[in-house]
């Protein structure tokens, strides 16, 4: 809360720390009315700093300082300055011990940064700058220290006391209290510190590393969740094995712990040896978690585990380097997920998120490079650009170097920088040194924001048998960046003959053993490639497997897209051809007269997908998903959301009516006949039958309705139960919808993670989620403003997924969102700032909408005492 203008932090101002902390000795006294934190820091001047005589500056946030002593001597008030957010001691020796005692109030901490309480347990979240809410400390990732932590609390209320590393001591204390002491032998930045105290059950497992060490795996959850741990523990073991096999990385401590907490701002956190998870990202049972949730849990458990090397052993020098750990780790977890399931489906899911949401971010007012050069509030930079685009940048290195050299590069990176806090440039240099390739131009991917656009033209010289392909790249301006330089882009492609056979790609006449796929490299603004020895004009399959995060323009005809949908050997491009065709058909109907025909060939193509059981069912399940409204909006110049919504609905209903019998047959063919399992085929079959159900109910089909009611009642897993619920909720069968919603709630009301799903099915539905109904959900007894998952499930789902309801031409949806942002800003600014996202895209929409979105942003801007988080997002959105 501040009325003066928040400060901007610049990468160019980076200086090495003037002081280093070698050791931190912490003692926590936990009580119901607060916590006392005793800290002893072993500090020395940093020999690398030329700032001789610098004062010692420690960060602090909302701390009550109880005492301060240097080398055992208490400091008087005139020997230090408590500036509120910094503690400054002007006169310190070369080496010393500083003892600090602070008082904090975790029970009143609604921001969920630092030490707070969730469902009666104490837990922490220190990334990025939460440790300063616990005690005074140089809260920056390049200060790495060894931590010892003693936790004291009431034994009966908090039997489990956890921190990083190994437990080295425990015992009883007077007044029914007890303590446990933990020691972490690995130096780490304070953002990786964690503490948990609660009445939790422990689930144990173990893992033998390839060098033969036995690691104790422990998962801690509230007693009611004891039966929801198996999937996370199994995922963890798979991730540990995979990291040994694929990256040669072995776990280092003897214990690895996972804790589930209900109140958490993000998905999970990679604290050394003690990962803390949002319950919704770790707990699963067949009855309560969907297939998507199972897959998300596997991916996030792996992601946090992989951070042990890419993030913890080798960490970030400063927060501008955030993508060093996040981009690389997302790349690693997506490789892992690809290996565990269907690689093509995983790629489709990643690219869908990237193209829908990251491209939108990159085209909006919050656009920033993968390595930003300034920020106001670092919490706002846990973005799709840092994570998802960052992962694409690492994937491009993998594409350019190939798997062997990439592995050589990652080995060198880990070996060279183990125990250090480094930069994205250090990462690229390791890749460069290991491969011998010059990556200087490639580094621009870290510096330039915005999504490159590739425009491809071609011509065929029948006389010479030469096919000429010209690729041009342009880079859009983004806030603060114009006149950008061309990127180094890996561009994978293949060519098909008219029967769908892959053609050899001869770059010269004498190229006899040419491959049928090539990874071309684009470095100039325009390139022309010639392919020789062709008897006919080929159909190009471009940017295979989405080899670079770019927008690709090529004028494929509908005929060619249909051809690629069934013939492209690249599964990703088969899917993409279908998406492009559907986008083209929907776009042609936006604002068109009601009697405009829906492309009949789309129906034929979908019939083929639905009926040909010999096709890869996992891919088919994805291909049947029409492009989302959010993606169609992203592609539009001046989005008219109701018109886009109607056009998409028209296509969906037309497909459903035309393919009605095929959908019923598809539903029956894929009906469940065996025990629930998570193989790609089983997941695909559930997806197919739930898509069939959704489509049938979209056209009020009576048989579909009966199937949905029965599936809702008889399902033995959450994917099918909620699939039926969603179909009913989105249908015109109001009684069935209300009955299903009531019975679902009745059954699951004691399970917060399922209640969240129940909220979001309604909030995301244009039938059950109109504004008055959304307001009613906010007063439902299960709704809780202090729980970020509930806020996301209602407010986030409404503004982010229920686009036709959110974009009301009277601006009521925007005003509603502004109101909720202001309400949350005082209690949880991180979540408030994230909720603003849909409004930040205001320039994208048709004028009537745009102006009202801007007005809503201005209303937020004018709230007195705006948090730094929301201030940054709102001011940047309105600027320019
Ligand atoms: N490093 C975590 C994400 C994370 C970031 C910030 C948080 O609090 C503000 C919490 C978690 C990850 O990548 O999983
Ligand atoms: Zn991460």
């Amino acid at each position: 809360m501040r009325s003066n203008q928040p400060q901007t932090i610049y990468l160019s101002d980076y200086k090495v720390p003037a002081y280093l902390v070698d050791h931190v000795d912490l003692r926590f006294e936990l009580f119901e009315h607060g916590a006392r934190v005793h800290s002893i820091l072993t500090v020395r001047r940093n020999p690398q700093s030329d700032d001789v005589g610098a004062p010692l500056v420690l960060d602090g946030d909302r701390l009550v300082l109880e005492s301060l002593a240097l080398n055992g001597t208490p400091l008087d008030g005139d020997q230090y300055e408590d500036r509120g957010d910094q503690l400054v001691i002007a006169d310190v020796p070369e080496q010393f011990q500083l003892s600090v005692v602070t008082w904090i109030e975790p029970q009143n901490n609604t921001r969920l940064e630092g030490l707070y309480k969730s469902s009666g347990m104490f837990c922490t979240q220190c990334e990025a700058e939460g440790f300063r809410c616990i005690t005074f400390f140089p809260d920056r990732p390049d200060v790495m220290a060894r931590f010892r932590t003693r936790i004291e609390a009431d034994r009966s209320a908090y039997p489990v006391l956890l921190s990083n590393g190994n437990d080295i001591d425990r015992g009883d204390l007077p007044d029914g209290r007890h303590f446990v002491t933990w020691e972490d032998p690995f130096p780490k930045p304070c953002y990786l510190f964690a503490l948990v105290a609660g009445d939790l059950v422990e689930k144990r497992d173990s893992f033998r590393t390839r060098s033969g060490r036995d690691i104790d795996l422990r998962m801690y959850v509230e007693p009611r969740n004891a039966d929801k741990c198996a999937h996370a523990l199994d995922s963890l073991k798979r991730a540990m094995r995979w990291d040994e096999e694929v990256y040669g990385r072995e776990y280092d401590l003897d214990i690895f712990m996972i804790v589930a907490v209900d109140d958490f701002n993000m998905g999970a956190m990679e604290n050394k040896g003690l990962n803390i998870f949002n319950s919704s990202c770790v707990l699963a049972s067949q009855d309560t978690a969907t297939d998507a949730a199972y897959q998300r849990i596997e991916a996030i458990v792996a992601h946090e585990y992989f951070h042990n090397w890419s993030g913890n052993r080798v960490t970030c020098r400063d927060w501008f380097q955030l993508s060093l750990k996040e981009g690389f780790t997302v790349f690693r977890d997506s490789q892992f997920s690809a290996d565990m399931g269907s690689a093509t489906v995983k790629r489709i899911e990643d690219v869908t998120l990237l193209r829908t949401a990251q491209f939108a971010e990159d085209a909006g007012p919050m656009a920033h490079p993968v390595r930003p050069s300034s920020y106001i509030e670092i919490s706002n930079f846990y973005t799709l650009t840092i994570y998802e685009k960052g992962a694409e940048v690492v994937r491009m290195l993998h594409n350019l170097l190939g798997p062997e050299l990439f592995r050589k590069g990652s080995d060198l990176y880990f070996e060279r920088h183990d125990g250090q806090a480094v930069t994205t440039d250090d990462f690229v240099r390791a890749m460069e040194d290991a491969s011998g390739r010059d990556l200087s131009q490639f580094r621009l991917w870290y510096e330039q924001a915005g999504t490159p656009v590739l425009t491809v033209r071609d011509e065929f010289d029948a006389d010479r048998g030469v096919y000429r392909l010209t690729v041009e790249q342009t880079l859009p301006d983004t806030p603060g960046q114009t006149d950008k330089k061309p990127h180094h882009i890996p561009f994978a492609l293949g060519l098909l003959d008219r029967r769908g056979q892959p053609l050899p790609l001869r770059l010269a006449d004498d190229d006899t053993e040419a491959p049928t796929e090539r990874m071309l490299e684009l470095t100039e603004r325009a390139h022309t490639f010639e392919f020789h020895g062709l008897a006919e004009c080929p159909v190009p399959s471009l940017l295979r497997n989405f080899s670079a995060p770019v927008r690709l323009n090529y004028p494929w005809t509908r005929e060619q897209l249909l051809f690629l949908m069934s013939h492209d050997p690249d599964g990703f491009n088969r899917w993409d051809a279908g998406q492009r065709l559907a986008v083209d058909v929907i776009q042609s109907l936006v604002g068109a007269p009601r009697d405009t025909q829906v492309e009949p060939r789309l129906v034929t193509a979908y019939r083929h997908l639905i009926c040909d059981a010999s096709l890869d069912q996992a891919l088919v399940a994805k291909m049947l998903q029409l492009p989302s409204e959010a993606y169609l909006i992203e592609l539009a110049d001046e989005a008219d959301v109701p018109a886009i919504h109607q056009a998409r609905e028209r296509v969906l209903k037309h497909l459903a009516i035309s393919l009605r019998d095929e959908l019923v047959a598809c539903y029956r063919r894929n009906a469940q006949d065996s025990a629930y399992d998570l193989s790609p085929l089983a997941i695909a079959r559930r997806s197919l039958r739930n898509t069939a159900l959704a489509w049938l109910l979209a056209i009020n089909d009576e048989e579909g309705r009966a199937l949905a009611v029965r599936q809702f009642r008889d399902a033995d897993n959450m994917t099918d139960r909620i699939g039926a619920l969603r179909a009913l909720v989105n249908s015109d069968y109001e009684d069935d919808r209300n009955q299903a919603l009531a019975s679902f709630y009745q059954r699951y009301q004691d399970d917060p993670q399922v209640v969240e799903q129940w909220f979001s099915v309604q909030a995301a539905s244009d039938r059950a989620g109109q504004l008055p109904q959304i307001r009613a959900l906010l007063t439902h007894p299960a709704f809780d403003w202090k729980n970020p998952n509930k806020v996301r499930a209602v407010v986030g789902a409404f503004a982010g997924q229920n686009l036709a309801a959110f974009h009301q031409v009277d601006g009521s949806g925007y005003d509603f969102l502004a109101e909720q942002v202001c309400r949350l800003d005082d209690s949880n600014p991180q979540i408030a700032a994230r909720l603003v996202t849909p409004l930040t895209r205001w320039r994208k929409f048709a004028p009537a909408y745009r102006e009202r979105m801007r007005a809503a942003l201005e209303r937020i801007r004018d709230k007195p005492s705006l948090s730094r988080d929301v201030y940054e997002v709102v001011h940047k959105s309105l600027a320019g």
Side-chain angles (χ1 to χ4, degrees), residues 246-249 309-310 313-314 324 328 332 401 403-420 422-437 439 443:
V246 179
Y247 280 86
R249 299 292 117 198
W309 276 95
S310 49
R313 294 282 291 247
V314 183
L324 172 79
F328 187 23
R332 277 151 53 69
L401 268 53
E404 282 88 24
L405 287 177
F406 182 88
R407 168 65 195 271
K408 235 178 118 192
S410 73
D411 283 351
L412 179 62
Y413 168 72
F414 288 126
E415 184 196 329
R416 191 184 266 179
H417 298 297
D418 191 10
Q420 297 178 3
V422 303
T423 63
T424 54
D425 205 50
D426 293 319
F427 181 79
V428 178
R429 190 167 313 113
M431 290 291 163
E432 213 163 31
D433 292 350
S435 66
R437 294 214 44 179
L439 297 171
R443 284 178 169 80

Side-chain angles (χ1 to χ4, degrees), residues 111-113 124-130 191-192 264-271 276-277 300 303-304 307 319 322 325-326 329-330 377-380 382 387 830 834:
R111 308 161 64 93
L112 316 185
E113 297 172 77
T124 53
Q125 174 52 42
C126 293
E127 187 177 7
E129 297 180 335
Y191 82 84
L192 291 172
F264 202 75
N265 282 347
M266 309 276 273
M269 180 61 209
E270 70 264 22
N271 316 299
I276 298 182
F277 279 70
I300 299 181
H303 178 97
E304 306 310 330
H307 268 316
W319 291 121
L322 184 55
K325 72 178 179 82
E326 297 305 348
T329 305
V330 172
E377 170 52 60
I378 187 57
S379 301
N380 286 331
Y382 288 78
Y387 277 70
Q830 280 185 16
R834 278 178 184 269

